[in-house]
């Protein structure tokens, strides 16, 4: 994402925060719908992402395209988003999508661990080749994919999680389902002022130990860490911890591999 787009993301996040309690799931769903409309019309995207087009003209175009399809809050926020400078049309789409995700969880209850639900669904999908193909196929009908998500998650996940996953599978923009869900979970955690630490262990870890690990990592990164635990016997022992692009690999399998490389060298 270009520097102009990064500035626009921050500006859009500030505009969302200024809405207070008006930032909620209903707003997120409207923004997701707007993003799909943008994606379906190259002409619409081109005009809205063009810095040479006046803000008033962009606002007028949004009114003609969406009419009463958006409420006053969504219309105002969408106008603010497109009025900023985006480095490309793809960045504009990504920006609308990110703000939609953030809006969707802004009104979520503290008891709703949306990032954890996204992680759990990602693991479920990755373990089922047929489901992964069904949700990730470029040839699949977007509405049918969303219907599958609702059928699988209804009553098992929060409304925000269902809305986010449904929206992402309808508009993957070339991304694999696992990457989509991981990306969304990171945004959800960040919206709550936290980051995600994926901890891989050969065997289950006691809750007290996970809490202790989370506390230690929080001191290192300066913010709360939501821990996702992955059990993988292949690492033999030890732990592998990933926070964003940072990887701390203390697994036995990693040490064995390093030894093999040393012996081979």
């Amino acid at each position: 994402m270009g520097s102009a787009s990064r500035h626009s993301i921050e500006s859009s996040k500030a505009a969302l925060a200024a809405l207070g309690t008006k930032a909620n799931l209903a707003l997120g769903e409207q923004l997701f719908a707007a993003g799909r409309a943008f994606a379906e019309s190259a002409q619409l995207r081109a005009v809205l992402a063009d810095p040479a087009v006046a803000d008033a003209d962009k606002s007028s175009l949004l009114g003609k395209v969406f009419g009463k399809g958006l409420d006053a809050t969504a219309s105002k926020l969408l106008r603010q988003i497109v009025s900023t400078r985006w480095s490309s049309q793809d960045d504009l789409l990504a920006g609308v999508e990110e703000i939609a995700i953030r809006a969707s969880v802004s009104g979520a209850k503290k008891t709703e661990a949306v990032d954890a639900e996204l992680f759990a669904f990602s693991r479920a999908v990755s373990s089922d080749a047929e489901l992964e193909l069904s949700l990730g196929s470029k040839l699949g009908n977007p509405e049918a994919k969303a219907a599958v998500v609702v059928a699988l998650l209804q009553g098992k996940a929060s409304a925000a999680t269902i809305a986010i996953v449904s929206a992402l599978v309808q508009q993957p923009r070339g991304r694999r389902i696992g990457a989509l869900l991981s990306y969304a979970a990171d945004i959800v955690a960040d919206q709550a002022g936290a980051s995600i630490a994926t901890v891989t262990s050969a065997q289950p870890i006691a809750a007290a130990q996970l809490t202790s690990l989370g506390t230690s990592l929080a001191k290192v990164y300066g913010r709360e860490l939501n821990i996702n635990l992955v059990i993988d016997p292949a690492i033999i022992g030890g732990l592998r911890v990933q926070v964003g692009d940072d990887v701390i690999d203390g697994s036995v399998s990693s040490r064995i591999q390093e030894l093999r490389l040393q012996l081979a060298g």
Side-chain angles (χ1 to χ4, degrees):
M1 185 172 281
S3 58
S5 295
R6 288 194 292 272
H7 175 77
S8 292
I9 280 289
E10 293 305 315
S11 174
S12 298
K13 285 164 59 178
L16 177 67
L19 293 177
T21 57
K22 292 182 179 180
N24 52 33
L25 178 56
L27 174 61
E29 291 179 320
Q30 290 182 78
L31 293 178
F32 278 130
R36 288 193 291 274
F38 290 1
E40 292 168 0
S41 174
Q43 184 177 10
L44 177 61
R45 274 197 321 278
V47 173
L48 296 178
D50 188 347
V53 177
D55 291 346
D57 292 333
K58 292 181 180 180
S59 180
S60 176
L61 179 59
L62 288 175
K64 292 177 181 177
V65 171
F66 295 105
K68 296 182 179 180
L70 301 175
D71 64 25
T73 300
S75 295
K76 179 180 179 181
L77 181 56
L78 198 57
R79 289 197 300 271
Q80 290 175 297
I81 292 173
V82 301
S83 70
T84 57
R85 186 183 182 92
W86 297 91
S87 301
S88 68
Q89 295 179 29
D90 285 343
D91 282 1
L92 171 60
L93 284 178
V96 173
E97 181 180 79
E98 177 172 338
I99 299 304
I101 293 173
R102 291 180 181 277
S104 296
V105 296
S106 291
K109 301 175 183 177
K110 291 185 177 180
T111 54
E112 295 177 344
V114 176
D115 58 325
E117 291 178 346
L118 291 169
F119 175 76
F121 187 65
S122 176
R123 298 290 294 173
V125 171
S126 65
S127 66
D128 187 327
E130 186 176 348
L131 177 58
E132 186 170 22
L133 179 62
S134 174
L135 295 178
S137 173
K138 296 179 181 179
L139 302 178
N141 178 276
E143 289 76 17
K145 291 180 183 180
V148 170
V149 170
V150 173
L152 290 172
L153 294 179
Q154 192 73 53
K156 301 176 183 177
S158 65
T161 297
I162 295 173
I164 291 170
V165 179
S166 298
L168 293 178
V169 298
Q170 289 183 76
Q171 191 179 322
R173 295 192 289 114
R175 298 164 295 179
R176 295 179 66 86
I177 183 67
L180 278 173
L181 297 174
S182 177
Y183 148 83
D186 284 337
I187 292 175
V188 168
D190 184 69
Q191 183 65 17
S195 293
I196 292 177
T198 300
V199 178
T200 304
S201 171
Q203 56 189 0
I205 301 175
Q209 290 178 297
L210 281 178
T211 299
S212 178
L213 176 60
T215 300
S216 298
L217 289 171
K219 291 179 181 178
V220 174
Y221 287 93
R223 65 184 337 200
E224 181 183 347
L225 270 293
N226 296 339
I227 295 181
N228 290 326
L229 179 62
V230 177
I231 305 301
D232 183 4
I235 72 171
I236 303 175
L239 295 176
R240 182 180 186 274
V241 180
Q242 181 169 356
V243 181
D245 294 329
D246 295 345
V247 177
I248 306 169
D249 197 341
S251 65
V252 173
S253 61
S254 175
R255 294 171 189 171
I256 292 175
Q257 180 62 21
E258 289 177 2
L259 181 57
R260 285 174 177 167
L261 292 175
Q262 291 173 10
L263 292 174

